[in-house]
Amino acid sequence: MDSRVNAITFRVGAFRRRIAWVFALQFLIVAIVCVLGIYNVAHTAVVIAVIVLTTALAWLAMRREWRPVRALARVVSRWDGQLLDPESLHLEQLSAHADADVASLARGLHGFATRLASYNQRERNFTRDASHELRSPLTVIKMSVDMLAEEEGLSEFGLRSVRRIKRATREMEVLVDALLILARETGSAADEQCFVVNDALHRELDFARELLVGRPIELLLEEPARFALQGSPQAFSVLCWQLIRNACQQTEQGSVVVSVLPGSISVRNRITSQAPGSGYPVRARGADRHGFELAIAQRISERFAWPLELQAGQGQENIARIRFPHPLPADAPERSFSES
């Protein structure tokens, strides 16, 4: 297509010249019929009709000349920064009489869209391939740590080391899952499952409690509501895990409370103030909006249209809240399974 476009010679200023010709001809015709009307050579009704007809023809000519610019404007207005199809510019359909400025703008948009699409595809492929390659060594590490934990006579230092390795392995697994979710194409079957959010939260909190052994942090789950979602349970689990992990990292001693509310979930970390010399420093008040966990959570929330809000509550409390625009009844997964 590029060779065909390059073979066309566009003329600089062709658009302006054609517009000038249209207005010049219109002015000439209107002037002539006005003079004929003044000298009673032409009837007044004929003069008015010629003026109206000339104006209509000029408007149609202007509309035809403006068509390439209008087409480019429609393409740009529909572009969300990611989904622009380079072929939608239809450069091969530009007339040989098109203005060089319009053709240059179209070619520039085409080249930019092509480079952007190529970059997005390379990033997606790299993320997907790297995530798949990381799964095998993580599985080996996880199995080896489980076998090592069952070995008799392991010292207290060895047990602490095993717990640290298990925690790091779990965090790496969640990170790999997050990268795979972000690299996966939208609209896949994995993103269209029905699940109960309360059950998924129970599983994530069980994992988190295992990794918090030895730390003075209490994980609590409040369930004043119960609902289901239509989406990706893996993405939901990774999103909640990132928020829980971020809250635990901000808390030296205290509690992390996960609340299930109608159509939303909140994660609050309550920091318990300590007397001087207690050995547990209290972190500064205010929501940490720059953690890597929150960056991953923000990208997942944008991907699945689950708005994420961060705010500071009363006292030494930080709150992360996820809102779900389309919650379902808690028995929706059972009904969908029975119908199938």
Side-chain angles (χ1 to χ4, degrees):
M1 183 185 67
D2 293 337
S3 59
R4 283 180 290 171
V5 174
N6 294 330
I8 301 175
T9 301
F10 299 101
R11 294 181 297 172
V12 178
F15 177 76
R16 293 190 296 271
R17 285 194 294 271
R18 286 195 296 271
I19 296 300
W21 273 108
V22 169
F23 279 108
L25 290 175
Q26 181 188 16
F27 176 78
L28 179 62
I29 295 174
V30 170
I32 292 175
V33 297
C34 287
V35 171
L36 295 177
I38 292 174
Y39 289 99
N40 294 323
V41 176
H43 194 272
T44 304
V46 175
V47 173
I48 296 175
V50 171
I51 293 176
V52 172
L53 180 61
T54 304
T55 303
L57 292 175
W59 179 80
L60 291 175
M62 285 284 297
R63 183 178 180 183
R64 181 177 180 275
E65 295 298 329
W66 193 253
R67 189 179 304 165
V69 179
R70 189 169 63 250
L72 290 177
R74 283 197 299 266
V75 172
V76 174
S77 65
R78 291 194 300 265
W79 187 28
D80 62 355
Q82 295 180 350
L83 302 179
L84 177 62
D85 180 12
E87 303 304 323
S88 62
L89 297 175
H90 300 299
L91 291 182
E92 72 280 1
Q93 296 181 7
L94 286 177
S95 170
H97 302 289
D99 188 76
D101 295 334
V102 176
S104 177
L105 177 61
R107 281 197 297 264
L109 285 174
H110 180 272
F112 176 73
T114 303
R115 290 193 300 271
L116 185 61
S118 177
Y119 170 78
N120 288 337
Q121 187 61 39
R122 288 197 305 269
E123 181 187 25
R124 194 178 298 275
N125 291 340
F126 172 79
T127 304
R128 182 180 60 250
D129 296 340
S131 301
H132 280 300
E133 291 297 326
L134 286 173
R135 282 188 174 276
S136 298
L138 281 176
T139 302
V140 174
I141 295 173
K142 186 177 180 181
M143 294 176 61
S144 301
V145 170
D146 291 338
M147 295 174 61
L148 185 61
E150 297 176 357
E151 185 175 343
E152 298 180 359
L154 196 63
S155 65
E156 182 63 26
F157 177 78
L159 289 175
R160 289 199 302 269
S161 299
V162 167
R163 285 197 294 267
R164 285 196 296 268
I165 296 174
K166 290 182 66 174
R167 180 167 59 249
T169 304
R170 171 60 181 169
E171 292 172 356
M172 181 59 80
E173 282 184 328
V174 176
L175 177 59
V176 170
D177 289 339
L179 293 177
L180 284 173
I181 290 170
L182 296 175
R184 190 171 59 225
E185 296 290 342
T186 57
S188 62
D191 297 341
E192 295 298 332
Q193 301 180 32
C194 193
F195 62 97
V196 179
V197 300
N198 303 66
D199 298 339
L201 283 173
H202 277 287
R203 292 191 295 269
E204 294 306 315
L205 288 177
D206 289 340
F207 282 128
R209 289 190 183 100
E210 293 180 3
L211 302 180
L212 289 176
V213 174
R215 294 186 60 184
I217 300 177
E218 184 180 12
L219 284 179
L220 303 174
L221 178 61
E222 298 177 350
E223 301 180 83
R226 184 178 176 86
F227 65 93
L229 287 178
Q230 183 76 23
S232 171
Q234 184 187 23
F236 175 83
S237 299
V238 171
L239 174 59
C240 293
W241 170 263
Q242 299 296 340
L243 297 179
I244 294 171
R245 181 170 181 261
N246 182 76
C248 292
Q249 287 189 341
Q250 295 183 35
T251 308
E252 296 292 345
Q253 181 177 14
S255 61
V256 174
V257 182
V258 182
S259 302
V260 183
L261 304 173
S264 68
I265 292 174
S266 66
V267 180
R268 308 192 307 273
N269 60 310
R270 298 171 179 173
I271 303 174
T272 304
S273 300
Q274 296 294 316
S278 62
Y280 297 110
V282 178
R283 299 197 178 186
R285 176 179 179 271
D288 179 8
R289 302 171 186 271
H290 305 288
F292 181 73
E293 300 85 7
L294 293 183
I296 294 293
Q298 188 68 45
R299 291 191 62 180
I300 295 177
S301 69
E302 293 173 355
R303 170 74 175 272
F304 292 91
W306 297 335
L308 173 62
E309 303 172 0
L310 304 175
Q311 65 183 74
Q314 297 180 351
Q316 294 178 333
E317 182 181 66
N318 296 327
I319 304 174
R321 181 176 292 106
I322 318 167
R323 300 189 183 276
F324 303 96
H326 306 291
L328 301 174
D331 60 346
E334 299 177 1
R335 290 207 308 265
S336 60
F337 179 77
S338 61
E339 291 175 358
S340 60

